[in-house]
Amino acid sequence: PYESPVPYLYSYCYLWIHPMEKNIKQQKSTCLRVVLFGPESTGKTTMAKALAEFYETTWVPEFARDYLQKKWDKDKSICTLKDLLVIAEGQMISENKALDKANKILFCDTNVLVTQAWSETHFDGYCDIQLKQLSETFEYDHYFLTGIDVPWKNDDLRDRPEERDLMFRHFEHLLKQKKVSYSYLIGSHETRLKSAIKDINCLLYTSPSPRDS
């Protein structure tokens, strides 16, 4: 059985903590929120774009990618614990803005739970308490867990191609731990898209959003 990393390196706790803006909250909406969730290089962005096009709605790009790419381009700096709360905040701001143009459903190419997973797998099990609180507070209607059965594509930011299975199992563990609605996306792009559309149609037509009330 899979065991999640144990947060034993408490030396991280004394590090500088990003002062989260108190007014950063998840905007209320009757739109369904669907998250593309999974390790790096598993087709999340491709699927978010395809689903948004199919349902004629908007999708939320990954804030961390542009943010961290700028750090790397400047002086080859990599992601630190300081960055994670900045990323979580930036991602939610982007999500709230995208809701203004969403049509019944909003596709999120990552969310704060992805940031939590990244922290736990890259900092020996440690995750800032603020990140965990945000992941418990923000609500989503469904997660698509993207499989690692697609080729790894290297770039400046991706790492640990040899640990894809371990990463996938940690992402899966978090979904089971949170007891949220999720399903797997595996196979070719076409197979994944058909599977996702089937699940989303069930959400749209048989399961009204819990935020309707």
Side-chain angles (χ1 to χ4, degrees):
Y2 175 73
E3 294 183 3
S4 62
V6 178
Y8 59 89
L9 291 185
Y10 292 106
S11 58
Y12 289 131
C13 296
Y14 69 80
L15 293 176
W16 177 90
I17 300 298
H18 173 68
M20 291 288 289
E21 292 188 25
K22 294 182 179 180
N23 63 340
I24 297 300
K25 298 180 179 179
Q26 187 179 48
Q27 182 176 315
K28 292 184 178 181
S29 174
T30 58
C31 284
L32 292 173
R33 286 181 170 93
V34 175
V35 183
L36 281 301
F37 185 80
E40 296 173 324
S41 194
T42 54
K44 297 187 297 294
T45 302
T46 300
M47 187 56 56
K49 289 179 179 179
L51 288 170
E53 181 178 359
F54 182 85
Y55 286 99
E56 298 181 337
T57 187
T58 56
W59 66 286
V60 190
E62 182 182 8
F63 177 85
R65 176 149 289 275
D66 286 342
Y67 174 82
L68 294 175
Q69 187 66 57
K70 289 176 181 177
K71 283 193 63 175
W72 177 262
D73 292 343
K74 182 180 179 180
D75 55 14
K76 297 297 186 289
S77 294
I78 61 174
C79 185
T80 68
L81 279 170
K82 294 181 182 180
D83 295 315
L84 296 182
L85 285 168
V86 179
I87 288 168
E89 185 175 320
Q91 189 66 40
M92 182 48 62
I93 292 173
S94 297
E95 181 180 316
N96 287 339
K97 289 181 179 179
L99 278 171
D100 294 336
K101 297 181 180 180
N103 174 28
K104 296 182 181 179
I105 185 167
L106 178 68
F107 295 101
C108 303
D109 176 18
T110 196
N111 73 345
V112 68
L113 191 59
V114 174
T115 310
Q116 178 181 333
W118 203 93
S119 179
E120 291 171 347
T121 54
H122 285 70
F123 296 103
D124 304 285
Y126 177 77
C127 181
D128 185 272
I129 187 63
Q130 292 184 80
L131 273 181
K132 289 185 176 181
Q133 289 173 342
L134 292 177
S135 71
E136 291 296 325
T137 301
F138 297 159
E139 297 181 345
Y140 298 89
D141 296 282
H142 193 75
Y143 285 78
F144 284 121
L145 178 55
T146 50
I148 57 175
D149 57 333
V150 293
W152 173 270
K153 294 183 179 180
N154 193 42
D155 62 21
D156 293 334
L157 305 179
R158 291 171 177 161
D159 63 358
R160 305 188 181 185
E162 72 286 352
E163 297 181 9
R164 299 183 82 191
D165 184 63
L166 178 64
M167 296 290 289
F168 179 83
R169 287 189 288 123
H170 187 69
F171 276 76
E172 183 182 45
H173 167 77
L174 285 178
L175 293 177
K176 291 180 177 179
Q177 185 180 61
K178 286 178 64 64
K179 299 180 180 179
V180 295
S181 172
Y182 74 95
S183 53
Y184 297 90
L185 292 183
I186 57 176
S188 67
H189 174 72
E190 292 74 19
T191 298
R192 292 181 179 210
L193 185 59
K194 289 180 181 178
S195 178
I197 290 170
K198 180 180 178 180
D199 289 345
I200 292 167
N201 286 344
C202 288
L203 286 172
L204 285 172
Y205 303 122
T206 65
S207 301
S209 170
R211 289 181 294 279
D212 284 348
S213 56

